[in-house]
Amino acid sequence: MAGYPVSRPFTLGLSADHRAAPLIYGVTGLLLLATVLQVLPTVGVLDSRYFPPLTEILTSLSSQLSSADFWSALGSTVSGWLLGLTIAVIIGGVGGILIASFRILDRLLSSTVEFLRPIPSVALVPVAALLFGTSMEATLLLVVFASTWQVLVQVIYGVRDVDKVALETARTYRLGTVRTIRSVMLPSLMPYLIIGVRLAAAVALILQITGELIIGTPGLGRLISVAQSSAAVPTMYALVLVSAFLGVLINSGMRMAEGKVLFWHASIRGDQK
Amino acid sequence: MKRLGAWAFFTFAVPVVLIIAWTIASETSDTIYFPSPIAILAVFPDTWFSGAISGDIFPSLSRLAAGFGLALIAGVGVGTLVGMLKPLRLLLEPIFELFRAVPPPVLVPIIMLVAGIGDGMKIAVIAFGCVWPILINTVAGVRGIDEVQLDTAASYRFSGRLRFVSVILPAATPQIVAGARQSLAIGIIMMVISEMFAATNGLGFNIIQFQRLFLIPEMWSGIILLGLLGVGLNAVFKIIENRLLTWHVGLHAAEK
């Protein structure tokens, strides 16, 4: 690594291939999409009442960017997402380690987990709305319920994947509980935990926006539904664009974090051919 | 016999305890939001089995099937094409990633604008939400096909269709199935949301309606029904997956 002044193209972490060609193609593709979105409504192929040209969307986006409401909504969405994800990671992580470590817990709880996990979390929308009205806790409940399972299941797999021989070796060397967890369990758990967190992050964003959209808790989703009911079509598209960027940011941020945390792991090293 | 007893104990102990605890808790307190399972069970048949199966459950499920089916066809079709042609893939990958990153529920108001609030809107919403995981996974699956297999098919002069059916599709199936599993979860969410947002029938519509009318036990019966549907659809998916991928699992077990 040292001594090579390599300038890495900015790829949003979207592609494992860090050479320039994908970047050029990718940017071309996005530009083509932008052109299509601009031209089709302008020439009338798409109805501009429903599909406003891109410039109109961007104008409305820039007026959003200077409104306080927008920033407070974005803040609510991001903080709700982060809080929900954090709670889910804690519950899922601790629960997963416990379930996987104690066989009795595993046997007792697996049927309950297997039944609760596929329950679509949007089924809880009415309960959340009844209990919390339109305050942010309503959405938080949905986010936590949906994303905890992702972490829990991955952590269970991860703990089960810990090498038995390594564990016994640690015991023979009398490493103690703390060091055993830190240097034996954590390394093999980490890849699974990261995958769990990445999946949970995506699911959490979906449920965060869903809660805002349907229950009406503060956030981008509510702004979208307000824009929809006041027929402010370009604003609606602008907000959808913002939520898409939020999604891209979260996805690529998670993948970058994965690369940083798991730089030693074969799955990451294998990518850097 | 003893092992069967142990299995039954471990499988049902916690659920039974939970249900009993719920019953006792709600029978002894005066909360209206958490009716006891007995009350929910009492309204369940009247709520869902008298006309609701054909009037609500069937429309919901058929919209889900239509949307998911469309997404599967479009995702696998376009995904195969894009996966085979490198320039096309490089051109379109960022666009796919952008669309995939859109939280699918925000599509509901947009698609409503174009397609109204009928079945078409709901099917479109479900399909649009489901298509990206399938599409992206198909591209990845097709990309990962062994070159030797493709070369072999080319030297034997397999026709396009034969190559697709007997070389490309089987090789990409494990990835496609993984994408479809993600999509199914999204599809169920979209099915419910689209009905909660604007509908005149369907499960999501009814559950929200019960909530607004304060019919709490009925609302809970709907939530439980939705849960059962989620579990059921997941189980069906697992069966299909096992069927489709038996050869794959077997192959990998043999390689180990």
Side-chain angles (χ1 to χ4, degrees):
Chain A
M1 281 298 267
Y4 292 96
V6 186
S7 75
R8 277 192 165 181
F10 181 63
T11 59
L12 279 172
L14 295 177
S15 133
D17 195 340
H18 280 291
R19 275 161 294 183
L23 184 72
I24 297 168
Y25 273 101
V27 171
T28 317
L30 288 173
L31 286 177
L32 271 177
L33 177 73
T35 318
V36 167
L37 289 181
Q38 174 65 31
V39 170
L40 290 189
T42 321
V43 299
V45 177
L46 291 173
D47 191 335
S48 60
R49 271 178 309 164
Y50 301 146
F51 299 98
L54 190 66
T55 44
E56 229 175 280
I57 298 174
L58 292 179
T59 316
S60 129
L61 179 65
S62 71
S63 76
Q64 285 292 318
L65 292 180
S66 59
S67 98
D69 280 355
F70 168 78
W71 290 106
S72 88
L74 185 62
S76 306
T77 300
V78 172
S79 59
W81 168 78
L82 195 62
L83 182 62
L85 184 63
T86 311
I87 297 175
V89 170
I90 293 171
I91 300 178
V94 173
I97 289 175
L98 287 178
I99 289 180
S101 308
F102 298 100
R103 197 163 152 62
I104 185 94
L105 271 184
D106 184 22
R107 293 182 69 185
L108 278 172
L109 291 176
S110 68
S111 61
T112 314
V113 170
E114 282 310 310
F115 181 76
L116 289 179
R117 195 161 61 102
I119 292 179
S121 43
V122 281
L124 295 177
V125 162
V127 183
L130 275 182
L131 287 179
F132 301 110
T134 57
S135 63
M136 59 124 15
E137 287 93 336
T139 296
L140 192 63
L141 178 71
L142 300 183
V143 174
V144 171
F145 182 84
S147 40
T148 299
W149 303 117
Q150 314 284 345
V151 182
L152 183 81
V153 171
Q154 290 297 329
V155 169
I156 291 177
Y157 288 153
V159 176
R160 286 208 188 122
D161 197 40
V162 175
D163 192 346
K164 293 282 175 306
V165 177
L167 271 183
E168 279 160 16
T169 311
R171 202 146 92 217
T172 313
Y173 282 107
R174 306 206 175 167
L175 277 194
T177 316
V178 176
R179 279 200 67 188
T180 306
I181 290 177
R182 222 182 61 109
S183 4
V184 182
M185 278 175 84
L186 222 50
S188 44
L189 178 61
M190 223 41 189
Y192 291 91
L193 180 67
I194 293 280
I195 292 173
V197 174
R198 186 168 52 132
L199 295 174
V203 170
L205 183 70
I206 295 180
L207 268 298
Q208 178 68 33
I209 303 256
T210 304
E212 294 162 4
L213 199 65
I214 293 182
I215 305 177
T217 59
L220 282 178
R222 186 164 75 176
L223 281 193
I224 292 174
S225 96
V226 170
Q228 186 229 358
S229 48
S230 55
V233 178
T235 311
M236 204 165 84
Y237 276 96
L239 292 168
V240 168
L241 204 59
V242 172
S243 64
F245 278 129
L246 202 57
V248 170
L249 216 62
I250 286 171
N251 282 352
S252 48
M254 283 292 160
R255 270 182 231 180
M256 257 162 67
E258 200 173 321
K260 285 250 152 56
V261 178
L262 299 181
F263 66 92
W264 50 271
H265 195 266
S267 71
I268 304 289
R269 289 204 314 234
D271 276 353
Q272 295 169 342
K273 270 178 252 172
Chain B
M1 204 52 213
K2 205 176 155 195
R3 282 181 62 186
L4 193 71
W7 175 84
F9 172 75
F10 282 114
T11 307
F12 295 110
V14 173
V16 167
V17 168
L18 284 178
I19 291 172
I20 292 175
W22 181 0
T23 313
I24 294 173
S26 65
E27 293 283 352
T28 53
S29 80
D30 44 37
T31 166
I32 48 163
Y33 293 154
F34 295 97
S36 84
I38 300 171
I40 298 173
L41 217 58
V43 298
F44 200 98
D46 276 350
T47 314
W48 298 110
F49 294 151
S50 53
I53 292 188
S54 54
D56 291 309
I57 303 175
F58 181 72
S60 285
L61 285 182
S62 49
R63 290 191 285 247
L64 177 64
F68 187 75
L70 278 177
L72 204 59
I73 294 169
V76 173
V78 177
T80 308
L81 200 67
V82 173
M84 294 301 291
L85 303 170
K86 195 176 177 203
L88 200 60
R89 176 169 65 79
L90 292 176
L91 207 60
L92 294 178
E93 228 163 28
I95 299 179
F96 291 164
E97 291 286 345
L98 182 70
F99 275 110
R100 198 218 350 213
V102 177
V106 303
L107 302 168
V108 177
I110 287 197
I111 294 179
M112 240 169 86
L113 207 65
V114 186
I117 62 164
D119 283 350
M121 174 280 266
K122 284 168 200 114
I123 293 170
V125 164
I126 295 168
F128 205 90
C130 288
V131 77
W132 306 110
I134 298 177
L135 178 57
I136 289 174
N137 274 38
T138 308
V139 172
V142 171
R143 251 185 93 184
I145 294 179
D146 194 348
E147 293 280 333
V148 178
Q149 285 186 4
L150 287 177
D151 290 347
T152 312
S155 6
Y156 279 102
R157 308 213 173 161
F158 276 25
S159 68
R161 211 178 116 243
L162 189 60
R163 211 165 40 170
F164 177 69
V165 173
S166 57
V167 181
I168 298 173
L169 210 51
T173 303
Q175 290 256 24
I176 296 174
V177 170
R181 194 186 309 113
Q182 285 178 34
S183 291
L184 182 67
I186 295 177
I188 297 175
I189 293 181
M190 299 308 284
M191 170 188 93
V192 178
I193 291 177
S194 65
E195 292 167 358
M196 285 180 169
F197 214 79
T200 50
N201 64 5
L203 277 168
F205 166 77
N206 265 305
I207 294 176
I208 283 286
Q209 206 63 14
F210 289 142
Q211 181 225 322
R212 293 198 177 131
L213 299 172
F214 244 62
L215 296 167
I216 307 296
E218 283 82 354
M219 178 195 93
W220 273 102
S221 74
I223 292 174
I224 289 170
L225 182 63
L226 214 50
L228 290 174
L229 266 179
V231 176
L233 287 174
N234 241 36
V236 171
F237 191 92
K238 235 175 223 165
I239 293 171
I240 297 176
E241 179 181 0
N242 281 343
R243 276 271 165 107
L244 278 177
L245 297 183
T246 334
W247 61 273
H248 181 67
V249 177
L251 204 65
H252 274 244
E255 276 172 2
K256 268 187 188 168

